[in-house]
Amino acid sequence: MAQSTGVLVQKRILILLSNGFETMEAACFTEVFGWASIYGGIRFDQLSVGLRNPITTTFGFDVIPEALLGDVDLDDFDALVIPGGFGDAGFYEEALSEPFLDVIRSFDRRQAPIAAVCVSALSLAAAGVLTGKRATVYHQIGGARKAELESYGAVFVDAPLVIDGHVMTSTGPGTGIELALKLLEVLTSPGFAQELRERMRVPTPDAAWFQAAQV
């Protein structure tokens, strides 16, 4: 994967954090791309970015983002990652705000990969990038989030991981590692993603897992 000049290829990933985000849904990506930087020919620089500092997570402890949104140039990044969170923790106050949605639109305009976990799919929908696209979201009995996703014009698919073009969505914390590995595959190759899965001892789900309904 290294260039013929011997210079290490570098890619940058922006991890966009809303107040009230779930740490596990961010950690899946930091782990996968951290390992990838060690074992592959590409160095992945990951930058956590928020609208405030500190950020309070879903379950109440504070994290310090590496940068504030106003201090970064979005065009410097190759992919966007958005963890989900809980409404009771204030997630939607920022995740549905215009500054947050404008980040998504910026990546979408240049067709850069976007990976959204759980209810952060609603941020993509609110940004207008899921209209007519297949996507998933955390789905429970009663289907409130499903209905919300569809209200923006998205085509809901009841599956753990859904990819439509450069946009990838998954349903919850337990699907985050698969979404991270899929993003790695897009940014490198299927072979390297499989190699890293094996190095990290992440079991490969069977085919039925990828088709399983949530409720």
Side-chain angles (χ1 to χ4, degrees):
M1 302 271 262
Q3 295 175 332
S4 59
T5 60
V7 176
L8 190 69
V9 178
Q10 182 177 9
K11 290 185 182 291
R12 302 192 74 197
I13 298 172
L14 190 150
I15 303 176
L16 184 59
L17 302 177
S18 170
N19 201 53
F21 81 95
E22 280 201 79
T23 54
M24 180 177 174
E25 295 181 8
C28 293
F29 292 87
T30 59
E31 288 293 305
V32 164
F33 286 97
W35 278 68
S37 291
I38 294 172
Y39 290 107
I42 296 178
R43 175 178 174 80
F44 289 96
D45 285 341
Q46 305 177 75
L47 190 73
S48 60
V49 176
L51 278 68
R52 68 173 74 192
N53 185 358
I55 296 171
T56 301
T57 66
T58 288
F59 298 113
F61 63 87
D62 289 347
V63 299
I64 298 173
E66 295 167 281
L68 293 176
L69 183 55
D71 298 330
V72 299
D73 185 344
L74 300 179
D75 290 337
D76 290 342
F77 295 88
D78 299 284
L80 173 65
V81 167
I82 311 176
F86 276 60
D88 289 348
F91 177 77
Y92 298 108
E93 294 169 19
E94 289 186 357
L96 297 179
S97 70
E98 281 303 310
F100 203 93
L101 302 184
D102 280 342
V103 176
I104 297 167
R105 294 175 185 129
S106 175
F107 279 82
D108 182 62
R109 278 193 295 270
R110 53 191 173 93
Q111 302 285 287
I114 300 172
V117 188
C118 196
V119 293
S120 69
L122 297 174
S123 298
L124 305 192
V129 307
L130 290 183
T131 303
K133 287 186 174 290
R134 301 166 68 253
T136 194
V137 70
Y138 188 83
H139 179 43
Q140 66 277 70
I141 295 173
R145 298 306 178 200
K146 170 184 179 289
E148 190 173 353
L149 190 77
E150 291 176 327
S151 74
Y152 289 105
V155 179
F156 173 77
V157 178
D158 192 3
L161 180 66
V162 176
I163 301 168
D164 193 329
H166 64 288
V167 178
M168 314 170 204
T169 51
S170 74
T171 58
T175 64
I177 192 75
E178 289 302 319
L179 188 60
L181 286 165
K182 178 55 68 173
L183 180 59
L184 178 65
E185 178 181 319
V186 168
L187 294 174
T188 59
S189 70
F192 180 60
Q194 180 60 34
E195 175 191 333
L196 200 77
R197 178 192 291 276
E198 294 168 3
R199 286 185 181 276
M200 293 183 72
R201 309 297 188 260
V202 177
T204 301
D206 60 27
W209 183 88
F210 289 97
Q211 304 298 324
Q214 296 180 69
V215 293

